[in-house]
Each structure stands twice: as C-alpha cells, then as structure tokens.
Amino acid sequence: MSLALRSELVDKTKRKKRRELSEEQKQEIKDAFELFDTDKDEAIDYHELKVAMRALGFDVKKADVLKILKDYDREATGKITFEDFNEVGKISLRNLRRVARELGENMSDEELRAMIEEFDKDGDGEINQEEFIAIMTGDI
C-alpha cells in the first residue's frame, strides 16, 4: 500500500471518529444565534453584535465590534450569517497567540503549536468545536 493511500485512509478513519455535536448542543448554538439576530433576518449586523457583546458584559468600542464583524464575516456582507457564527468554534495558532498575549503569557509559537497539536484530533492545525468540547468535558 502506498504511503499516500495509507495517509488518506488514516485521515478518513480520524474523521469518522471525530466527536459529533449532540442535537442539543447544535440547538443551543442556533438559539444563541437567534437571540442575537433581533430583527430575524438570519444574519447578525453591526448593531445586533454590539448589543449582544454589551449584554454579555463586554465594554466594546466601535472598532472592536467592527473587527469582530470583519473577522467572522466570510462573505464580506457586513453581517455574520449562521454558517459564519457556527465556525467561530475554531481556535487557530493566531487566535491562541492573541489570547496568550492578552493574558500576559509569554509563550513561543512552538509552545502554542504543541498545545494545539495535543488536542487537534483531525490534524487540521486548529481546535474545532468538537475538539474544544472534548477538552472541556474531559473526553479527550
């Protein structure tokens, strides 16, 4: 068996074993989105995001809200769709580096990569929602 074929089979096996969100967890994410989407247009705009962030206790400035909107608005519509919102569960090296810096932690990229690799079960270089839930529930 060629190395490429073996690698492909291993990847497929890993994907099958990936922990799926329960229907209840999927519904909680949908409910949170609908709570933020006050005008029920199936997208979260600048004003809805600002209200939601402040309701969650974040003292956000206009620039902060615009940056979050830009970071997660994959279609560049000025709004966050449910698909965009659902993708917020990914933690990349860049996200982890920013959080570590904001917390005053002086960690090298190698240390941060090692943290991601420890929990990155599907090998995509990011911690996705399923992997994050596994970490938080101790089901690693």
Side-chain angles (χ1 to χ4, degrees), residues 7-35:
S7 176
E8 189 176 322
L9 288 173
V10 168
D11 284 349
K12 284 183 180 177
T13 304
K14 279 185 179 179
R15 276 197 298 264
K16 282 182 185 172
K17 287 184 180 177
R18 201 166 82 187
R19 185 177 148 95
E20 289 294 317
L21 291 174
S22 71
E23 287 307 312
E24 186 179 332
Q25 290 165 324
K26 289 176 185 176
Q27 188 59 49
E28 285 173 8
I29 293 167
K30 184 75 171 158
D31 290 346
F33 179 82
E34 289 172 355
L35 187 65

Side-chain angles (χ1 to χ4, degrees), residues 72-119:
Y72 295 105
D73 176 18
R74 293 181 302 174
E75 295 87 21
T77 60
K79 295 181 177 192
I80 299 173
T81 64
F82 180 68
E83 288 72 31
D84 298 332
F85 186 77
N86 212 15
E87 284 299 308
V88 174
K90 293 192 185 259
I91 302 170
S92 66
L93 176 63
R94 197 179 93 210
N95 301 135
L96 194 56
R97 186 186 306 126
R98 188 185 74 233
V99 169
R101 204 175 308 130
E102 286 173 6
L103 295 174
E105 296 288 335
N106 189 17
M107 299 177 77
S108 68
D109 277 2
E110 291 77 31
E111 291 172 304
L112 295 171
R113 267 192 210 97
M115 288 174 66
I116 289 175
E117 286 172 11
E118 183 177 346
F119 301 108

